[in-house]
Every structure is written in C-alpha cells, then in structure tokens.
C-alpha cells in the first residue's frame, strides 16, 4: 500500500482553496510575474468602437461588474480585454493605424517589472484631445486609457494560486 501523506502536507496542498476572495485583491496583476498593473478603482467600462470588435459581455472582475470585449486583431488572433483609466505599464511607440479605439493612437502596454505584453494603451492624438475624449461613468472625460488582455493579467485569486494537488514526496 502507498505511504500515508501527513495531514500537514495535505493541508498545504489545499491551501489555495482558503485564499481571500477576489474583491480583496488590490487590482490586476501581471500573469507572468504577479506585479500590480492596474488598481481596482481604475477599472472602468470604456466601449471600444472598432471594426475589430465582435462581442461583449459583463463579468465580475475583482468584485466589479465590468464590460469584457472580444476583439480580433489584424492578424486574426481573438482576444478578450477589459479597460482601465490608469495603469502601471510601460507603453511603446504610438501608432495610428488599425486602432481598436476609433480616433485614438495605440501603443503596446508591457509590465514594468518583467516586460510581458499586457495589452494596449490608447490616447488622443496631440491637438485633438478635446474632440476625442471618452466619457466615463466615474472619471469624466478622459483622453487616454488601456485595454488589458484578460489572459495576460491575474484577476481572480485562484488564478494566482496553483490548483490543489498532492505533493510529491
């Protein structure tokens, strides 16, 4: 017969089941390194008016009912994103073609800690800020925001922790 696993090891293997609820997380974290990339209070619905959008739905993320938007990029990759009015990301060079957000330039957004791709940063072109601002429910008229790919961020506590498993002896 196999040896019996000590009770302590069994409890350690199931520890992720007892982690805090998702609303207790301070915000979205990079899925590669766990570094904070957007605070919960900065997550806000910003509809993307783009020919690349193909569906949307509402989902509880960090205890907030948020708009998740399905997009297909120009290369055909399907992605789901949520939007934030502020992020803690590094943003690349701005581009004006093939934008997910009409009237906005875009740049790739990367984790400041590990450099992993997180999504895109959008902003109004210089001189057009007043004409192209986006009205939001909590932050008024904004000229820049980010769309973060759900697969590239941690938004649930259990996504951060490993699934319960038996430890190898």
């Amino acid at each position: 017969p196999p040896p019996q696993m000590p009770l302590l090891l069994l409890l350690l293997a199931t520890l992720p089941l007892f982690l805090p609820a998702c609303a207790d997380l301070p915000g979205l974290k990079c899925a590669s390194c766990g570094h904070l990339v957007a605070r919960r209070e900065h997550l806000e619905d910003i509809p993307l008016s783009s020919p690349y959008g193909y569906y949307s739905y509402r989902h509880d993320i960090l205890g907030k009912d948020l708009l998740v938007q399905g997009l297909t990029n120009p290369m055909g990759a399907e992605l789901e994103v949520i939007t934030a009015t502020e992020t803690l990301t590094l943003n690349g060079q701005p581009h004006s073609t093939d934008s997910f957000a009409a009237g906005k330039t875009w740049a790739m957004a990367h984790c400041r800690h590990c450099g992993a791709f997180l999504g895109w940063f959008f902003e109004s072109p210089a001189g057009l800020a007043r004409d192209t601002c986006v009205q939001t429910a909590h932050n008024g008229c904004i000229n820049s925001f980010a769309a973060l790919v759900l697969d590239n961020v941690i938004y649930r506590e259990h996504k951060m922790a490993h699934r319960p498993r038996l430890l190898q002896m």
Side-chain angles (χ1 to χ4, degrees):
Q4 295 296 321
M5 181 181 288
L7 181 59
L8 178 60
L9 290 178
L10 183 59
L11 289 174
L12 287 174
T14 59
L15 183 62
L17 295 174
F18 305 104
L19 291 172
C22 60
D24 294 338
L25 287 177
L28 298 176
K29 296 181 180 184
C30 172
S32 294
C33 70
H35 192 72
L36 184 68
V37 297
R39 297 194 180 284
R40 182 183 179 280
E41 61 267 20
H42 296 143
L43 301 178
E44 189 163 342
D45 293 346
I46 301 171
L48 301 173
S49 54
S50 163
Y52 302 108
Y54 63 100
Y55 69 87
S56 65
Y57 63 93
R58 304 211 60 85
H59 187 59
D60 182 307
I61 296 175
L62 300 174
K64 293 180 86 168
D65 180 41
L66 292 174
L67 178 68
V68 176
Q69 299 171 77
L71 306 170
T72 302
N73 72 11
M75 293 170 284
E78 295 179 357
L79 310 158
E80 289 189 330
V81 299
I82 57 173
T83 50
T85 56
E86 292 182 35
T87 62
L88 305 169
T89 60
L90 291 175
N91 304 316
Q93 286 293 102
H95 303 277
S96 58
T97 59
D98 298 323
S99 181
F100 289 137
K104 303 273 187 228
T105 61
W106 63 272
M108 292 181 126
H110 296 273
C111 176
R112 286 185 181 187
H113 189 258
C114 73
F117 170 71
L118 298 171
W120 299 270
F121 179 76
F122 298 95
E123 65 183 337
S124 299
L128 297 178
R130 172 178 257 172
D131 299 329
T132 60
C133 74
V134 176
Q135 192 66 37
T136 64
H138 299 100
N139 291 300
C141 191
I142 59 169
N143 292 304
S144 62
F145 64 92
L148 301 169
V149 178
L150 279 183
D151 285 344
N152 299 351
V153 295
I154 296 166
Y155 60 94
R156 294 185 299 238
E157 191 68 45
H158 68 75
K159 190 173 179 184
M160 251 171 46
H162 294 48
R163 291 182 178 162
R165 64 185 187 287
L166 294 178
L167 299 176
Q168 299 295 320
M169 303 281 296

